[in-house]
Amino acid sequence: FGLSYIFTKQATRDASALTLLGWRFLVAIIVMGLCTFSGIIKIQLKGKKLKPLLTVAFFSPCIYFIGETVGIRYTTASESGAFLACIPVISLLASTFLLHKKPQRKQVLGILVTLAGVLVTIFAVGAAASFSFAGYAMLTAAVISYALYSIYVEKAREYTGGEITFIMLAAGAIIFGVLAVLEASFQGSLNEVIRLPFTNKSFLIAVLYQGIGCSVLAFFLSNIAISRIGVNRAASFIGAATVVSIVAGILILNEGFSEFQMIGALYIANTHFPGK
């Protein structure tokens, strides 16, 4: 997930966010289908209710990615980063009130330290305000939807990680595929959008990484993690993506690295690797 920011930044230079999401989830469901057909991933949905899985897919990827995409568009980088950094805290609260799981002191402390580290790294590059009510509302929707996605994944214990991921990817492919086609049709660029992965190498690489690496592999592992160690423990690892994105920005995009960003990264790293 941390490296996805690099590919998103490169891909959206040549295409809209909806175009990227549409192609991303189309590639993801094709790869997931091939893994299922070849027997690499076992999926057995016959006789099982689909409502719990559709509920998971409704909150993520559908609502989450719409809220994140629109919210980032209408707010500043520091604002959107600060909002999304609150996901572990909201997930913790959702777990406490909806699953009635009282978090341990170490979990609360770890998540708060991670949040502090993320906010330090975000505002180290400068804070700016957009005062966009629509942007704030969409980012709030994204944060809440991700927390609810985590809750419903933990509750869906009768389903495997592969089954949850398959329905999530199918829903994403349908929703974002339709939205991307509608957007391109209104703009008169449908042919260009369809040919884009075959004519633009950087866009193709971004779609393959996000479709296979993020949507198939990362979602699959995330669903397994939440179902096995719970929302509270899994949420604390979200901040680690910030450290990965910072390191990737330095090594791949040659971005600068300030002292405050280093302090924030150390805060986050210490949460996951205490004593090192």
Side-chain angles (χ1 to χ4, degrees):
F1 284 134
L3 290 176
S4 70
Y5 299 115
I6 302 296
F7 292 93
T8 298
K9 191 171 184 178
Q10 293 176 339
T12 50
R13 294 173 183 170
D14 305 308
S16 69
L18 282 177
T19 298
L20 176 60
L21 287 171
W23 272 110
R24 166 183 175 168
F25 281 96
L26 177 61
V27 168
I29 194 60
I30 290 174
V31 172
M32 192 71 179
L34 291 174
C35 289
T36 304
F37 182 77
S38 62
I40 298 175
I41 297 176
K42 303 292 183 181
I43 295 178
Q44 180 55 261
L45 294 174
K46 187 177 181 180
K48 295 182 180 180
K49 294 181 179 180
L50 290 180
K51 184 178 179 180
L53 298 183
L54 293 176
T55 302
V56 171
F58 173 76
F59 289 115
S60 180
C62 297
I63 298 300
Y64 174 77
F65 277 106
I66 292 174
E68 181 192 59
T69 301
V70 177
I72 289 175
R73 179 179 179 182
Y74 288 104
T75 59
T76 65
S78 56
E79 286 177 325
S80 59
F83 266 89
L84 298 176
C86 294
I87 287 177
V89 176
I90 303 302
S91 298
L92 186 73
L93 292 174
S95 175
T96 301
F97 290 106
L98 298 180
L99 295 179
H100 306 292
K101 288 190 174 183
K102 186 177 180 180
Q104 299 176 2
R105 286 187 177 182
K106 289 183 178 180
Q107 291 175 332
V108 175
L109 180 61
I111 287 177
L112 291 178
V113 170
T114 298
L115 174 63
V118 172
L119 293 178
V120 167
T121 59
I122 290 170
F123 290 109
V125 297
S130 64
F131 300 108
S132 170
F133 176 78
Y136 298 157
M138 295 305 291
L139 287 172
T140 299
V143 171
I144 294 174
S145 66
Y146 191 94
L148 292 175
Y149 144 74
S150 301
I151 294 298
Y152 283 102
V153 167
E154 184 167 349
K155 292 175 69 174
R157 294 187 177 276
E158 64 177 295
Y159 306 94
T160 66
E163 291 167 349
I164 297 173
T165 306
F166 182 84
I167 297 298
M168 288 175 64
L169 298 183
I174 294 171
I175 296 298
F176 296 119
V178 169
L179 290 176
V181 169
L182 289 176
E183 179 189 54
S185 297
F186 285 132
Q187 295 176 351
S189 59
L190 184 58
N191 289 333
E192 289 80 359
V193 168
I194 293 174
R195 294 197 303 263
L196 191 58
F198 309 101
T199 58
N200 189 313
K201 185 178 179 181
S202 62
F203 183 81
L204 175 62
I205 293 173
V207 165
L208 291 176
Y209 178 82
Q210 293 202 334
I212 301 173
C214 295
S215 295
V216 177
L217 182 60
F219 268 140
F220 181 70
L221 296 177
S222 175
N223 291 333
I224 292 176
I226 292 172
S227 64
R228 294 193 179 184
I229 66 176
V231 175
N232 294 347
R233 291 181 180 179
S236 65
F237 284 87
I238 296 175
T242 302
V243 177
V244 174
S245 63
I246 290 173
V247 174
I250 296 169
L251 299 178
I252 299 175
L253 300 181
N254 297 317
E255 294 180 346
F257 190 56
S258 69
E259 293 179 357
F260 285 106
Q261 285 178 302
M262 182 178 293
I263 292 172
L266 289 174
Y267 265 111
I268 299 170
N270 186 62
T271 303
H272 302 296
F273 307 103
K276 294 186 180 181

